[in-house]
Amino acid sequence: MCEQDTSDPPTAASSPASSKATSDSPRAASRSAPPPHEATTVERGSFCTARCTCGWSGHARRSRDLARTDAANHAANRTAES
């Protein structure tokens, strides 16, 4: 449980300073950095699907090689955008 400050409410002049302190916190920095894209392949029966840690999923393929290519392309495209 967090203790609340019962002193006077912050004024408009102190608000930008307090929001700057919040954006410099380690928690804010961790939210701004996207997680790395780690794409792998998953087999279900005779099909193979590329999946990523970001939640992306490729098409179900009978060819494992095509599923690996889908995974590699996704990871390369997403890291290039970051």
Side-chain angles (χ1 to χ4, degrees):
M1 191 169 199
C2 187
E3 292 183 23
Q4 293 183 342
D5 184 13
T6 57
S7 64
D8 293 332
T11 61
S14 65
S15 292
S18 63
S19 51
K20 183 178 183 209
T22 304
S23 65
D24 291 342
S25 69
R27 179 182 277 174
S30 66
R31 274 189 251 145
S32 64
H37 289 267
E38 297 177 16
T40 59
T41 55
V42 178
E43 292 187 20
R44 297 186 96 187
S46 60
F47 291 92
C48 190
T49 303
R51 294 211 176 139
C52 183
T53 55
C54 73
W56 173 84
S57 179
H59 298 290
R61 309 259 191 196
R62 286 191 185 264
S63 169
R64 289 185 188 102
D65 189 44
L66 285 176
R68 281 188 221 111
T69 302
D70 290 344
N73 288 340
H74 170 75
N77 290 339
R78 298 304 178 227
T79 54
E81 291 176 4
S82 299

